[in-house]
Amino acid sequence: GGIKLGAGGLTRAYSGCVAENIAVAEKVIYQMCAESVYSFDYTQADAALRYFAANSCTVLNTDYADKVKFTAAVKAEDEAAFNAALVDFVNGKVEIRKTREYFSPFKI
């Protein structure tokens, strides 16, 4: 394509492709994320799902065993407030076990 388009034409073609991709790209920022496992009795599972849906977290996994266990991630800076509000929301009927922290992309 470089011979037929010439240097200028080739540059315009490539820059047009780059501009189109940048315009539709999802913009994210990487922030520290705290991942925890939240264990509930089955009677509290629906309340937990409502809480997760209404607050800024990502539910990564759900395990239905002797208890319902949700693995969820929140921004590390919001973790303490998120967990305290969840405990209040379910009247203390939750076990929280922090598993790890890592950098994760969040939409801007």
Side-chain angles (χ1 to χ4, degrees):
I3 303 280
K4 290 185 180 181
L5 292 175
L10 194 57
T11 301
R12 283 189 297 279
Y14 281 122
S15 64
C17 288
V18 170
E20 288 176 21
N21 282 302
I22 288 174
V24 297
E26 183 178 276
K27 292 153 186 79
V28 298
I29 186 168
Y30 279 80
Q31 291 185 311
M32 201 59 150
C33 179
E35 185 177 298
S36 299
V37 175
Y38 300 90
S39 301
F40 299 90
D41 290 330
Y42 276 85
T43 58
Q44 295 294 324
D46 287 337
L49 285 172
R50 284 193 309 275
Y51 180 82
F52 293 145
N55 291 278
S56 297
C57 79
T58 303
V59 176
L60 304 169
N61 189 33
T62 305
D63 180 31
Y64 294 94
D66 57 330
K67 291 188 171 209
V68 182
K69 296 179 183 178
F70 298 100
T71 303
V74 298
K75 290 181 184 176
E77 63 190 32
D78 300 336
E79 177 188 16
F82 178 89
N83 288 346
L86 174 61
V87 169
D88 286 344
F89 188 76
V90 295
N91 299 317
K93 296 179 181 177
V94 59
E95 295 172 24
I96 302 170
R97 183 176 51 89
K98 185 173 183 175
T99 54
R100 63 186 182 135
E101 282 192 3
Y102 53 91
F103 280 100
S104 182
F106 289 90
K107 291 181 183 179
I108 297 176

